[in-house]
Amino acid sequence: MTAWIILPVSLAAFSITGIWIVYAMAVMNHHVCPVENWSYNETCSEEKAERGFPKTCCTIQHIPLISKCGSFPPESCLFSLIGNVGAFMVVMVCLLRYAQIIEHSQHCWTNTSSLMCGFINAVGLVMVGNFQVDHAKTLHYVGAGVAFPAGMVFVCLQCVLTYRVAVTPLDYLMAHVRVALAIGSLIALVLSGAFFIHESFVLQHAAAICEWVFTVLILVFYGTFTYEFGSVTRDTLMAGIQRNLPLGGGASRELKAPGRSSTTSTQLNCMPENIAML
């Protein structure tokens, strides 16, 4: 079951690479301006820029926000694919992490809340990916307004859970790394929102950069679950399933109980049947 380590890495690598490819396509198709461009105009006349090269005259409509990069075809098709596949991977990561925390006898409201935030984040990603900002602005902003805060809350709760289940010095080091990523994400998210509400070209461009930083940091955070997913076993999956079955709340705690093997648990579960046969 150690193959699960591929999932978080795939989520981070696929999503980060994908959105940068979308950005490159949008720049080459003159749908947005390059990130390094800080000069904007009120209006632009029809320019005859050579195809395959970035725009030279940019307006506020060409600021390279992630959503703007995925507004028009052909890059919008790839943007939708990334949103849908990424949302599915997020759900899988959240479910495995939820079961893994339960396996450590740490079932609590923090773990459940983290799972719910992960699901809400995934729903928001689907909306952002499938409702482009220039064609379905309201739904797109609703999705972004759901996905970004939910993703931020998820990483904060996971920082708490990482410290709770930490045992070795390496576990605590990973917790420190996640706290650093969470703090960076929070700062980028707050600055992005603060800059975005202004009409200044410079602040709008700064908001776009902060949005990119936030997205990349969150995806890197998801990628760090590779550290724990190497120990995912069948018992881990059963812990999550049994916890959500009727009268199954205590079953997960027996899976990793000290001095008790799975064979012993099976014998105990079969004991009432043996008595009945007698």
Side-chain angles (χ1 to χ4, degrees):
M1 300 295 287
T2 54
W4 285 112
I5 63 175
I6 299 174
L7 179 61
V9 173
S10 299
L11 171 59
F14 170 78
S15 300
I16 293 175
T17 303
I19 58 177
W20 280 108
I21 291 176
V22 168
Y23 161 77
M25 292 173 64
V27 169
M28 293 300 102
N29 290 323
H30 299 169
H31 295 152
V32 298
C33 281
V35 171
E36 62 269 18
N37 175 77
W38 287 84
S39 300
Y40 291 92
N41 302 283
E42 291 290 343
T43 59
C44 283
S45 59
E46 290 292 330
E47 61 172 338
K48 297 181 180 179
E50 185 178 351
R51 186 172 179 82
F53 288 85
K55 288 175 67 65
T56 56
C57 182
C58 302
T59 68
I60 196 171
Q61 298 299 322
H62 302 113
I63 290 177
L65 293 161
I66 297 178
S67 300
K68 279 288 185 181
C69 293
S71 289
F72 300 99
E75 57 268 18
S76 60
C77 303
L78 179 59
F79 187 70
S80 296
L81 177 64
I82 294 169
N84 294 330
V85 176
F88 174 75
M89 290 184 176
V90 165
V91 169
M92 292 299 298
V93 169
C94 293
L95 284 172
L96 283 175
R97 184 59 176 164
Y98 172 76
Q100 197 172 47
I101 297 297
I102 289 177
E103 191 181 29
H104 286 82
S105 299
Q106 286 290 337
H107 179 68
C108 55
W109 71 267
T110 309
N111 193 24
T112 304
S113 299
S114 177
L115 179 66
M116 292 298 100
C117 288
F119 285 175
I120 294 172
N121 183 27
V123 172
L125 290 176
V126 171
M127 294 182 66
V128 168
N130 291 279
F131 299 101
Q132 282 74 33
V133 65
D134 285 338
H135 308 293
K137 183 175 293 187
T138 301
L139 290 175
H140 182 89
Y141 282 150
V142 168
V146 167
F148 285 6
M152 190 68 248
V153 175
F154 172 81
V155 300
C156 290
L157 294 176
Q158 283 300 321
C159 288
V160 175
L161 291 171
T162 304
Y163 277 110
R164 285 187 178 181
V165 300
V167 177
T168 67
L170 195 57
D171 294 339
Y172 283 102
L173 177 60
M174 179 56 65
H176 299 335
V177 170
R178 287 178 179 165
V179 168
L181 289 172
I183 292 174
S185 301
L186 180 60
I187 293 173
L189 180 62
V190 171
L191 290 178
S192 178
F195 294 153
F196 185 74
I197 61 177
H198 293 279
E199 296 182 358
S200 167
F201 292 152
V202 174
L203 292 180
Q204 287 277 326
H205 192 86
I209 294 176
C210 290
E211 184 185 49
W212 280 95
V213 171
F214 169 79
T215 303
V216 171
L217 289 179
I218 291 291
L219 290 171
V220 171
F221 189 100
Y222 274 106
T224 62
F225 288 120
T226 299
Y227 173 74
E228 289 93 353
F229 281 16
S231 62
V232 171
T233 64
R234 185 174 300 175
D235 287 345
T236 305
L237 303 179
M238 291 304 298
I241 294 173
Q242 292 181 3
R243 179 60 186 81
N244 292 286
L245 290 176
L247 302 179
S252 62
R253 292 183 174 85
E254 295 180 355
L255 292 173
K256 292 290 184 178
R260 178 177 295 179
S261 65
S262 58
T263 304
T264 305
S265 299
T266 303
Q267 291 174 351
L268 290 174
N269 291 336
C270 294
M271 192 176 297
E273 298 180 5
N274 295 335
I275 295 175
M277 292 177 63
L278 292 176

